[in-house]
Amino acid sequence: TLYDTSLSGTLPSELSSLTVLQAMSFNQTSVIGSIPSLYSNLIKLTTLNLHQNNMSGTMPSDVSSLTRLQSITMYETSLSGTLPSELSSLTGLWNLCFNQTSLIGSIPSLFGELVALTTLNLHVSSLSGTIPSELSSLTGLTDSLTMNVTEISGTVPPELASLTTLQYLNFYQSTMSGTVIPDVFLGTNNSMALRHLYLEVALASIPRSIASLTRLERLFAFDNLLLGTLSGTLPTEIGLLTSLQEFQLSNTSLSGTVPS
């Protein structure tokens, strides 16, 4: 682990000889260049963290040979290219996080095979396409599903209602429209464990059936600044969310009064 150093240059390919290495972290350095493909020799690696550095290039597809990987976090790097679908072979992965990178393309549907995932965070504004319904197979998601993806379109697949242990569901700055919160997420038969719901999307209204999310502690509804569609009134049923600790609305066209 190298943290907050003035280390510069590139990642040496010679590190690939450390075949018993279990964790590799380069955080807040001035390292440049790409991830050497020879790192596929690090067969005992369980953690790969690259935070706030100047690395570029693509994510090597042969990272799929690191079958013991449990956590991948790429934060504030210049990684480009697409999300390699080969990551789907890392079936022991419990954390997959790409934040503020230059990745493009779509979210691979094969990510639905990462059945051990508890956290999936994609803060990658240049990704496009739709949210794959195959993500509904990630029934081990107990922590968070976060999409900060400006170009994602369509709606949230209703199949995601099968993620009943999910606690944090966050959609930021997307162009999703329509029924962003599928009816199957709500209603009397809902069994979702959601405690945090953050929506910055093209909401048409806040559905009354949101009251079925009885464990909800935080609700944020921020209208997408580019689309500006949230209107209507505040449903009185929000008052039934007795576990709610924080409720924020911003940039909306809601009218009426605050329900007593």
Side-chain angles (χ1 to χ4, degrees), residues 77-172:
T77 76
S78 298
L79 281 177
S80 58
T82 60
L83 283 170
S85 58
E86 289 84 357
L87 290 176
S88 62
S89 65
L90 302 177
T91 52
L93 207 61
W94 59 263
N95 173 67
L96 183 58
C97 184
F98 288 94
N99 289 357
Q100 299 181 43
T101 71
S102 300
L103 293 168
I104 59 173
S106 59
I107 302 169
S109 59
L110 287 174
F111 277 13
E113 298 178 10
L114 296 171
V115 293
L117 275 184
T118 62
T119 301
L120 176 59
N121 290 338
L122 298 175
H123 287 250
V124 187
S125 61
S126 48
L127 288 177
S128 58
T130 59
I131 298 175
S133 60
E134 288 82 358
L135 296 186
S136 62
S137 299
L138 303 179
T139 53
L141 276 177
T142 55
D143 187 16
S144 67
L145 174 60
T146 297
M147 301 280 177
N148 187 354
V149 186
T150 307
E151 299 302 321
I152 282 287
S153 58
T155 61
V156 176
E159 292 87 351
L160 295 189
S162 65
L163 306 179
T164 54
T165 57
L166 188 65
Q167 298 190 57
Y168 295 83
L169 181 61
N170 308 307
F171 292 104
Y172 297 82

Side-chain angles (χ1 to χ4, degrees), residues 7 11 26 50 55 125 144 151 187 211:
L7 186 73
L11 288 176
F26 289 91
L50 299 174
M55 295 191 67
S125 61
S144 67
E151 299 302 321

